[in-house]
Amino acid sequence: QELAANKLDVQVAKARFYPSLGISAGLGYQAFNPLYLLKTPQSLILSLAGDLTAPLVNKNAIKASYFNANAKQIQAVYNYERTLLNAYIEVANQMAKIGNLEKTYDTKSKEVQALTQSITISNNLFSSARADYMEVLLTQRDAIESRFDLVETKMQQMNAVVNIYRALGGGWN
């Protein structure tokens, strides 16, 4: 919308280069010389000549406003491109984060499976008097920590999905 508005500002600035005739509801007598105040044709001609020659007299000011409108339009294009680029980067980062967290989740789930098997093995070793109970406890602690890491990884993965919805403008306030 801002880009379209700046484009219209450039068109308005370009239109100021042309002479204009305005029709208004009022009719007045204008004259710089009091002799022409009561003479209708001369007074109206002076007013009409002012409207027609204004672009010639104000040429530099009109050029400056035209160049200013062009510069604002170019700035709006750059801002629009920057916004698109930032949005693309946010989405690409979140997609990469989701992929990386998925791989991490798979690795952590394999780790949980291996540590769960190690609990069974350490219990068997303790039953056959090949290991002390401290090894069983340490193995169980490692398995629980690994499960906590697995849950935390899943939470991060779900947060990344929520963030990608936010980056795409999915109804987020």
Side-chain angles (χ1 to χ4, degrees):
Q1 295 296 338
E2 189 175 323
L3 193 59
N6 284 324
K7 182 179 179 183
L8 292 175
D9 286 344
V10 170
Q11 290 176 355
V12 167
K14 190 185 268 187
R16 289 185 188 146
F17 282 110
Y18 302 111
S20 65
L21 292 175
I23 298 174
S24 63
L27 177 68
Y29 287 96
Q30 299 178 19
F32 294 113
N33 191 345
L35 289 173
Y36 297 118
L37 189 59
L38 297 176
K39 296 180 181 176
T40 302
Q42 290 88 356
S43 178
L44 289 178
I45 287 173
L46 286 177
S47 174
L48 195 61
D51 287 341
L52 292 176
T53 59
L56 296 175
V57 174
N58 293 331
K59 188 174 184 179
N60 289 335
I62 293 171
K63 276 185 183 179
S65 67
Y66 176 72
F67 291 142
N68 188 19
N70 273 335
K72 283 184 179 181
Q73 184 182 19
I74 290 169
Q75 184 179 7
V77 168
Y78 288 146
N79 287 339
Y80 180 71
E81 288 176 353
R82 185 183 64 212
T83 302
L84 284 178
L85 185 61
N86 286 341
Y88 175 77
I89 289 170
E90 279 185 38
V91 171
N93 286 344
Q94 291 302 323
M95 291 295 289
K97 186 175 181 180
I98 288 172
N100 291 340
L101 286 171
E102 191 173 319
K103 291 175 186 174
T104 304
Y105 183 81
D106 291 341
T107 305
K108 293 277 185 188
S109 64
K110 290 176 184 175
E111 180 183 356
V112 167
Q113 289 174 354
L115 287 173
T116 304
Q117 289 175 354
S118 70
I119 290 173
T120 306
I121 293 170
S122 65
N123 280 333
N124 290 339
L125 288 174
F126 178 72
S127 297
S128 64
R130 300 260 183 203
D132 57 1
Y133 197 67
M134 183 61 96
E135 289 181 29
V136 174
L137 292 175
L138 290 176
T139 306
Q140 288 176 347
R141 186 194 68 185
D142 291 342
I144 288 174
E145 286 178 2
S146 178
R147 286 183 186 136
F148 284 148
D149 289 343
L150 183 70
V151 170
E152 188 175 326
T153 303
K154 188 65 173 178
M155 183 186 69
Q156 288 174 354
Q157 190 177 12
M158 289 180 175
N159 281 338
V161 171
V162 168
N163 288 338
I164 199 166
Y165 277 115
R166 184 187 310 167
L168 291 172
W172 198 270
N173 291 332

